[in-house]
Amino acid sequence: MAAGREMPIFLKAQRRGYEGFSEETESNWNGPFYFIQGADPQLGLMKAWRSGDCDSGGDEWQEEVQLTGQTVQAINNLTVKPRFFVLCGDLVHGMPGTLWHEEQKRDLKEVLKCTDAEVPLVFVSGNHDIGNTPTADTILQYCESWGDDYFSFWVGGVLFLVLNSQFFHDASSCPELKQAHDQWLNAQLAAAECKKSKHVIVFQHIPLFLQDPDEENGYFNLEKSLRRDLLQRFQKAGVNAVFSGHYHQNAGGRFNDLDMVVTSAIGCQLGQDKHGVRVVAVTEEHIHHKYISLDELNDVTVDEVLSFPTEVNAPKPHLQ
């Protein structure tokens, strides 16, 4: 197990749960709350993308360190703190076992450990964290650094499921681990149907889809037949929303009553969005959210989201 004084804040996801966010202590609705979702700080991608060498580039990551530090500082400055801050994968750019992977993890932790102690950190594994084709070793390394790669937790009467979406992409090198993940997910979804949670929310790195549930397969979404199966199972279990990253742009859409939310990056932008995070307000009846740039993340803009009278979940191709 990795050591270091700061490490406990990175290892709260253990034994498929999350320290302090258990069903026993958090299953009752206690009123509206909010959390902040970020994605893809991906230390090293900005230079790699500019150089056109995303496989071997990425030997500098000070830009991403600065942007992540700006995120942490903005969160720390908020008067009303979020219940947690979740990072939906691709924490670093260097793949496991490559030259800069460990250095990038070290530098990211140096920034994140400055997050206010009132704001727990929740981590979601991305393909650059465990590999495009993960192995038992790369997943073990991830878990030793960031906690479990999949787990569930409760906050204020809401059930949250954190998935390892790389198992949906390519689990050919770790079929037993995928099987365990699938069995766990089946049990969680079955239990969700019976529990009296106000909402069920899923976090994963790879989006189910970007705009349309029936869109064609691509690098940034899940394969269509698997996608359809997950969507139907999620809906049956009462999942209200899936929050993801991976795309480095804001996108999203709807499948009946399920909201697919794709959040752009803290780090490298591949579209026209600014570096930012998503503020997600949870009320008894609704989940509403807004992507806010790092330069504009403050008490005023967060309060605008929290004060939104009702959630308008009308279908639309992009969620901004």
Side-chain angles (χ1 to χ4, degrees), residues 186-207:
N186 290 340
Q188 292 290 318
L189 294 177
E193 291 187 55
C194 304
K195 295 182 185 296
K196 296 181 179 180
S197 61
K198 288 297 179 183
H199 305 285
V200 182
I201 295 174
V202 169
F203 296 126
Q204 61 185 59
H205 179 60
I206 303 175

Side-chain angles (χ1 to χ4, degrees), residues 261-277:
V261 185
V262 186
T263 295
S264 194
I266 290 173
C268 186
Q269 300 297 312
L270 302 186
Q272 301 304 310
D273 299 296
K274 296 180 179 179
H275 307 282
V277 294

Side-chain angles (χ1 to χ4, degrees), residues 9-248:
I9 68 170
F10 303 118
L11 297 173
K12 289 190 173 184
Q14 300 289 332
R15 296 177 292 279
R16 306 304 172 205
Y18 191 96
E19 178 185 323
F21 285 158
S22 67
E23 182 175 2
E24 291 73 23
T25 61
E26 288 282 346
S27 60
N28 293 325
W29 176 255
N30 292 316
F33 65 90
Y34 85 102
F35 64 87
I36 291 179
Q37 181 221 4
D40 301 277
Q42 203 159 344
L43 273 61
L45 177 59
M46 293 178 74
K47 181 182 179 183
W49 184 261
R50 285 195 301 268
S51 70
D53 185 6
C54 288
D55 292 330
S56 302
D59 59 334
E60 296 179 7
W61 50 89
Q62 190 55 42
E63 290 173 285
E64 290 94 343
V65 167
Q66 186 276 323
L67 289 164
T68 307
Q70 183 180 354
T71 306
V72 168
Q73 189 60 54
I75 292 173
N76 290 349
N77 288 341
L78 294 173
T79 301
V80 178
K81 298 292 191 291
R83 287 300 308 272
F84 61 87
F85 174 35
V86 58
L87 281 170
C88 281
D90 279 2
L91 307 175
V92 300
H93 180 61
M95 291 284 188
T98 59
L99 185 59
W100 300 296
H101 183 80
E102 291 300 323
E103 290 183 63
Q104 290 170 352
K105 282 199 305 185
R106 178 201 65 204
D107 289 351
L108 180 60
K109 286 185 175 185
E110 283 296 311
V111 178
L112 290 177
K113 74 178 184 181
C114 297
T115 306
D116 191 295
E118 293 183 28
V119 184
L121 299 171
V122 177
F123 300 103
V124 181
S125 62
N127 54 305
H128 281 262
D129 305 312
I130 60 175
N132 286 322
T133 304
T135 67
D137 285 341
T138 63
I139 291 174
L140 176 61
Q141 291 166 18
Y142 173 87
C143 293
E144 289 179 338
S145 295
W146 305 106
D148 284 356
D149 58 321
Y150 60 94
F151 55 96
S152 63
F153 64 97
W154 288 77
V155 173
V158 177
L159 173 61
F160 294 88
L161 303 178
V162 174
L163 308 187
N164 183 339
S165 60
Q166 213 56 32
F167 287 140
F168 302 140
H169 175 73
D170 184 358
S172 58
S173 293
C174 54
E176 297 86 359
L177 294 181
K178 179 187 185 301
Q179 182 180 24
H181 177 271
D182 290 348
Q183 290 173 344
W184 172 87
L185 178 57
N186 290 340
Q188 292 290 318
L189 294 177
E193 291 187 55
C194 304
K195 295 182 185 296
K196 296 181 179 180
S197 61
K198 288 297 179 183
H199 305 285
V200 182
I201 295 174
V202 169
F203 296 126
Q204 61 185 59
H205 179 60
I206 303 175
L208 297 167
F209 59 90
L210 298 177
Q211 297 181 13
D212 188 324
D214 295 315
E215 68 196 22
E216 294 302 314
N217 300 336
Y219 175 77
F220 290 110
N221 61 18
L222 292 181
E223 187 274 329
K224 192 183 294 187
S225 62
L226 172 61
R227 177 198 317 161
R228 176 64 62 168
D229 176 67
L230 286 170
L231 284 167
Q232 292 173 344
R233 290 165 61 200
F234 285 176
Q235 184 177 43
K236 184 173 183 289
V239 174
N240 305 89
V242 178
F243 289 87
S244 68
H246 190 51
Y247 191 42
H248 293 254

